[in-house]
């Protein structure tokens, strides 16, 4: 029987293996990886199973999301996933003070710009030199028009919350740079998303 705590995201089910394939060569073989905005927990389960040498620390400010993460990790019997933390990147204090790498999927466009600024400040503070901050999601790109699907998605987000919406990738890279994070790679992904690899200098 399905655990009623388990939330599911069709997009997460579609992109989790693709994201894991990008992450695997980027991350160290061992260490602690903080996932921000973990959502349903479907990503962290995939990552923990395919990168078992790493300890995974999921987090989300939503109690519904954290319950889903707990249920999914219990069901899979994962020993390398810690209990999810209540972590809102904009909060005055954070429940984690060190991570070897940080993963943040599909948060930047579904939160106010202040969350992106806070994310970069957190990453700049807690990552070691050469530590990776990995972002995934849809962005506005300086060199191309917004694809029709992303334009419609952006309009829908802004209608739901005026502070949400697809961000200019150059602006995100600039606020990362201000916190000592260099943009190492931007990788096109299916459905007009990108993987953004930022590295602490
Ligand atoms: C669209 S969901 C993405 C969830 C998951 N990463 C995925 O791709 O399926 C956005 C997530 O961002 C989280 N979120 C929104 N604002 C946040 C903030 N200020 N700090 C941390 N997480 C936040 C929400 O609780 C939600 O789980």
């Amino acid at each position: 029987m399905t655990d009623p705590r388990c939330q599911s995201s069709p997009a997460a089910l579609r992109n989790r293996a693709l994201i894991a394939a990008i992450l695997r060569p980027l991350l160290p073989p061992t260490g602690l990886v903080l996932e921000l905005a973990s959502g349903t927990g479907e990503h962290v389960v995939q990552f923990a199973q395919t990168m078992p040498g790493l300890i995974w620390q999921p987090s989300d400010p939503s109690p519904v999301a954290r319950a889903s993460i707990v249920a999914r990790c219990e069901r899979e019997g994962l020993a390398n996933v810690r209990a999810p933390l209540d972590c809102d990147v904009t909060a005055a204090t954070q429940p984690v003070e060190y991570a070897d790498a940080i993963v943040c999927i599909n948060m930047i466009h579904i939160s106010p710009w202040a969350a992106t600024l806070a994310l970069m400040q957190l990453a700049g503070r807690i990552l070691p030199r050469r530590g990776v901050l990995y972002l995934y999601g849809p962005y506005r790109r300086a060199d191309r028009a917004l694809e029709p699907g992303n334009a419609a998605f952006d309009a829908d987000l802004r209608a739901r919350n005026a502070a949400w919406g697809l961000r200019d990738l150059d602006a995100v890279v600039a606020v990362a740079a201000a916190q000592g994070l260099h943009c190492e790679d931007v990788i096109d992904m299916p459905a007009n998303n990108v993987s953004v690899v930022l590295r602490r200098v």
Side-chain angles (χ1 to χ4, degrees):
M1 196 172 116
T2 309
D3 187 321
R5 294 173 297 170
C6 288
Q7 305 289 307
S8 187
S9 157
L13 293 176
R14 282 195 301 271
N15 63 33
R16 61 185 180 173
L18 297 168
I19 294 174
I22 299 281
L23 279 177
R24 203 175 303 115
L26 284 174
L27 298 181
T30 59
L32 178 69
V33 183
L34 171 64
E35 187 189 24
L36 296 165
S38 298
T40 64
E42 288 161 310
H43 285 123
V44 81
V45 164
Q46 175 88 16
F47 302 158
Q49 287 173 333
T50 56
M51 291 168 265
L54 290 161
I55 304 295
W56 294 85
Q57 174 63 76
S59 69
D60 203 286
S62 158
V64 173
R66 293 198 301 277
S68 179
I69 297 162
V70 168
R72 289 191 174 281
C73 293
E74 278 175 3
R75 193 169 74 181
E76 301 299 329
L78 293 168
N80 60 332
V81 184
R82 289 186 177 169
L85 295 171
D86 178 0
C87 180
D88 178 332
V89 291
T90 62
T93 57
Q94 295 299 330
V96 55
E97 279 303 320
Y98 178 85
D100 292 292
I102 300 176
V103 172
C104 186
I105 300 168
N106 285 327
M107 183 199 79
I108 282 180
H109 56 287
I110 311 187
S111 57
W113 180 241
T116 298
L117 298 175
L119 163 65
M120 298 309 172
Q121 285 167 359
L122 178 67
R125 186 163 57 79
I126 74 170
L127 284 175
R129 285 175 64 93
R130 308 286 304 150
V132 163
L133 167 61
Y134 170 87
L135 308 175
Y136 175 95
Y139 289 88
R140 296 173 177 277
R141 311 282 293 275
D143 60 346
R144 63 193 83 166
L146 205 54
E147 304 81 4
N150 274 352
F153 184 40
D154 180 56
D156 177 62
L157 288 170
R158 290 176 194 277
R160 288 161 61 192
N161 186 324
W164 294 359
L166 270 61
R167 307 299 176 194
D168 182 340
L169 182 57
D170 288 346
V172 173
V173 166
V175 295
Q179 300 299 328
L181 297 153
H182 166 71
C183 183
E184 188 173 89
D185 209 355
V186 177
I187 304 159
D188 285 322
M189 302 292 284
N192 299 316
N193 290 291
V194 290
S195 288
V196 184
V197 182
L198 301 162
R199 199 180 284 276
R200 185 86 170 80
V201 291

